[in-house]
C-alpha cells in the first residue's frame, strides 16, 4: 500500500511540473507571433516613383533613384546615388517583397555596372561644368535666397536635403534663410512650362535673389540651381 502511494505521489509531481512548464511558455507564444508579423518601415515608398513625385522629389540616400534624382546626378548637382541596402532590396519599392529573381533597383542611365552596384569613387566635382551664372560672397558659409516668381503659374521648388517640395504662387516671392553651402535648389512650373531663371547677388552679404520668368522654348528652360562653397552659382 505504501509503495502504491509513493508511485502516485511521484506521478502527481511529474504532472505538476509538465503543467507548470506549459503555463510559463504560453505567454511567450503570442509575443513571438507579434514580433514576426510586425512589418519593417520601408524608407523608399512607392510614391517616390509615381507622378508627380517621380519628377519633383529627390529620393533619400540609399533608395533606387527616381527620374529627378537620376537627372540631377547626371548633371553633377547631386552625389552619385549609393548602393541599395539589402533590406531595401528585400522590401522593394513601396515596401513589398519583390518576386524571386527580381532586384528592385533603377541604375543611372549610361552606367555600365552589374545589378545593384553603383560606382561612387568619382566625385561630381570632377565633371566638366559651364561658367558660373553668378558669384556671391557667403556669410559664414550660409546664403539667404529670395525666390521671385514673375510668372502667372505656380512653381514647385525644393531645397535638396533641407525642405520638402513647396509651391510658390504666381506673382509672389519667398525667402529661404540660412542655407549651408553647397546647396541645390530645384524648381518646376506646375503647368509644365519652362522657366528662365536669373540669379542676382543682393546688396546684402550672403543674399541671392532668383527670379523666375516664362521661357518660350525648352532650350531656355532651367530646373535646378547649385551654389558651391566658394559662392559660385550654376544653373541647369
Amino acid at each position: 500500500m505504501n509503495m502504491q502511494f509513493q508511485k502516485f505521489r511521484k506521478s502527481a509531481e511529474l504532472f505538476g511540473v509538465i503543467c507548470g512548464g506549459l503555463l510559463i511558455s504560453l505567454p511567450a507564444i503570442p509575443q513571438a507571433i507579434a514580433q514576426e508579423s510586425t512589418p519593417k518601415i520601408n524608407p523608399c515608398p512607392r510614391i517616390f516613383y509615381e507622378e508627380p513625385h517621380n519628377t519633383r522629389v529627390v529620393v533619400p540616400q540609399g533608395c533606387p533613384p527616381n527620374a529627378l534624382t537620376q537627372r540631377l546626378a547626371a548633371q553633377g548637382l547631386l552625389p552619385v546615388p549609393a548602393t541599395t541596402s539589402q533590406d531595401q532590396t528585400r522590401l522593394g519599392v513601396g515596401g513589398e517583397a519583390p518576386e524571386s529573381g527580381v532586384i528592385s533597383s533603377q541604375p543611372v542611365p549610361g552606367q555600365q555596372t552589374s545589378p545593384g552596384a553603383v560606382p561612387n569613387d568619382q566625385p561630381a566635382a570632377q565633371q566638366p561644368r559651364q561658367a558660373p551664372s553668378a558669384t556671391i560672397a557667403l556669410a559664414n558659409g550660409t546664403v539667404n535666397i529670395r525666390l521671385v516668381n514673375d510668372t502667372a503659374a505656380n512653381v514647385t521648388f525644393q531645397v535638396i536635403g533641407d525642405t520638402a517640395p513647396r509651391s510658390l504662387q504666381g506673382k509672389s516671392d519667398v525667402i529661404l534663410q540660412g542655407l549651408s553651402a553647397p546647396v541645390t535648389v530645384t524648381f518646376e512650373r506646375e503647368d509644365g512650362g519652362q522657366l528662365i531663371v536669373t540669379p542676382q547677388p543682393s546688396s546684402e552679404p550672403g543674399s541671392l535673389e532668383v527670379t523666375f520668368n516664362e521661357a518660350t522654348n525648352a532650350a531656355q528652360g532651367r530646373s535646378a540651381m547649385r551654389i558651391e562653397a566658394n559662392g559660385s552659382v550654376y544653373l541647369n
Side-chain angles (χ1 to χ4, degrees):
M1 184 69 178
N2 186 34
M3 183 67 69
Q4 293 180 350
F5 176 76
Q6 290 180 355
K7 290 182 178 180
F8 176 77
R9 187 176 63 179
K10 289 182 179 179
S11 299
E13 290 176 353
L14 179 60
F15 180 75
V17 171
I18 295 174
C19 291
L22 290 175
L23 291 175
I24 293 174
S25 62
L26 283 176
I29 296 176
Q31 294 181 3
I33 295 175
Q35 292 176 356
E36 292 180 358
S37 61
T38 302
K40 281 192 175 183
I41 298 176
N42 185 16
C44 310
R46 184 181 300 278
I47 194 173
F48 285 163
Y49 307 92
E50 298 175 349
E51 297 298 340
H53 297 78
N54 184 47
T55 55
R56 294 185 181 178
V57 179
V58 175
V59 300
Q61 284 287 338
C63 291
N66 61 6
L68 177 60
T69 307
Q70 291 179 16
R71 178 160 55 86
L72 295 180
Q75 294 172 352
L77 297 176
L78 287 178
V80 177
T83 304
T84 305
S85 68
Q86 293 182 354
D87 284 344
Q88 291 160 359
T89 301
R90 180 177 58 81
L91 287 172
V93 175
E96 300 174 357
E99 297 179 1
S100 176
V102 178
I103 299 178
S104 178
S105 62
Q106 300 178 11
V108 177
Q111 291 183 340
Q112 300 296 327
T113 59
S114 59
V118 179
N120 54 8
D121 57 346
Q122 296 182 358
Q126 294 182 358
Q127 298 182 4
R129 284 182 176 172
Q130 75 275 23
S133 300
T135 303
I136 64 171
L138 302 179
N140 296 323
T142 64
V143 58
N144 298 329
I145 303 176
R146 179 171 179 248
L147 301 179
V148 181
N149 184 5
D150 278 348
T151 73
N154 292 350
V155 172
T156 298
F157 68 93
Q158 180 183 12
V159 182
I160 302 304
D162 196 341
T163 69
R166 299 176 181 176
S167 182
L168 179 61
Q169 294 183 349
K171 305 302 180 182
S172 65
D173 63 88
V174 66
I175 298 178
L176 308 174
Q177 296 182 329
L179 301 178
S180 298
V183 60
T184 299
V185 184
T186 63
F187 26 79
E188 181 182 20
R189 275 176 55 177
E190 294 181 1
D191 62 0
Q194 301 293 326
L195 287 173
I196 295 177
V197 182
T198 306
Q200 181 66 39
S202 173
S203 58
E204 182 179 352
S207 295
L208 181 71
E209 183 171 298
V210 180
T211 304
F212 300 139
N213 289 287
E214 296 179 0
T216 57
N217 58 66
Q220 295 176 314
R222 296 293 181 267
S223 59
M225 177 181 68
R226 174 80 170 179
I227 302 176
E228 298 290 359
N230 62 3
S232 298
V233 181
Y234 297 92
L235 296 176
N236 281 280

